Amino acid sequence: MLFDCDGTLVDSQHHIIAAMRQAFAAFALPEPHADDVRRLVGLPLDVSVRKLLEAGAANADAVVAAYREAAFAMRHQPDHQEPLFPGLREVLDTLEADGCLLGIATGKARRGLDATLQMHGLADRFITLQTADIARGKPDPDMVLRAMRETGATPASTLVVGDTTFDIMMARNAGTRSVGVAWGYHDPDELLQAGAHAVIRRFADLPQLVRQIMGGQSCAM
């Protein structure tokens, strides 16, 4: 079971939007619209920045660096919050009891992912962590392929859970199945059109859906 992070496990949109706006402001660039930033969450950071820049990407590398600095500073503020979506902990317990190996495939850098997992006491829940600074970004299948190699999983026994079409396309490109979540950054209809097996509206529905997708089996196959 490979989970996306931002928009799937944690609600980090305010942090992401604020850091992006700070990065643009550092170079007197027009403030990006919140919806435009949300639409790009999940892609590699440099790709997102270049898409947000209205004209030639001469400043792209500097804006990327400024975003990372802003995000790092915000993460260490005492009032920083990236709340988990409801029901996540219980679902992780159930999936593990069913024999699932849990992993993450995210557009975050490893430093940011580690900070998020440590904040919520989840650092020991995932046995493979695939990030955009060690693997090619979504929708390239590299993160899924690396996770399968690390765990000995096969495409038939691997399921990607994410909130964007980038997650669903990554799964499709890796030959695995996928489930979308309705509380993230892309609409459920978009996720289904991109190839998601189904879209859940609450985490509590995931374990039973996994059993159905696996033909009535638990994750242990």
Side-chain angles (χ1 to χ4, degrees):
M1 295 285 298
L2 270 179
F3 291 88
D4 169 57
C5 184
D6 293 315
T8 300
L9 301 182
V10 299
D11 186 359
S12 52
Q13 62 175 309
H14 301 296
H15 169 73
I16 293 171
I17 293 167
M20 191 67 76
R21 286 177 168 172
Q22 281 195 27
F24 273 57
F27 298 93
L29 294 166
E31 182 178 277
H33 194 281
D35 287 343
D36 293 335
V37 177
R38 278 191 288 264
R39 290 290 303 171
L40 297 171
V41 173
L43 291 176
L45 178 57
D46 62 325
V47 174
S48 296
V49 167
R50 285 181 168 82
K51 286 181 177 291
L52 288 169
L53 289 171
E54 295 181 357
N59 290 335
D61 291 341
V63 174
V64 167
Y67 174 93
R68 290 187 173 128
E69 291 176 6
F72 181 81
M74 289 178 187
R75 199 174 290 122
H76 288 80
Q77 294 298 313
D79 60 347
H80 174 70
Q81 294 185 2
E82 285 184 354
L84 296 176
F85 286 105
L88 172 62
R89 294 184 191 278
E90 296 79 3
V91 162
L92 295 182
D93 290 342
T94 300
L95 292 173
E96 285 185 329
D98 278 354
C100 291
L101 304 178
L102 306 178
I104 290 179
T106 176
K108 278 184 179 292
R110 181 60 184 266
R111 181 175 71 172
L113 176 61
D114 286 345
T116 295
L117 295 179
Q118 290 167 9
M119 177 193 308
H120 295 293
L122 295 176
D124 62 346
R125 301 302 298 267
F126 302 96
I127 66 170
T128 181
L129 300 176
Q130 303 299 326
T131 56
D133 49 353
I134 64 170
R136 293 188 295 276
K138 304 171 186 179
D140 191 286
D142 192 36
M143 285 193 273
V144 179
L145 299 177
R146 288 170 59 98
M148 289 192 293
R149 287 197 298 269
E150 288 185 9
T151 59
T154 65
S157 66
T158 299
L159 191 68
V160 172
V161 181
D163 69 300
T164 70
T165 56
F166 313 129
D167 300 307
I168 307 306
M169 293 165 63
M170 175 181 68
R172 190 178 66 195
N173 290 338
T176 73
R177 287 169 285 190
S178 60
V179 170
V181 302
W183 52 80
Y185 302 131
H186 289 181
D187 293 335
D189 286 346
E190 293 180 282
L191 303 179
L192 292 170
Q193 290 171 9
H197 180 89
V199 175
I200 57 172
R201 297 190 177 276
R202 56 177 192 155
F203 260 128
D205 295 331
L206 184 58
Q208 182 58 36
L209 180 59
V210 171
R211 297 182 189 113
Q212 293 173 1
I213 293 174
M214 296 300 184
Q217 303 285 331
S218 68
C219 288
M221 298 179 66

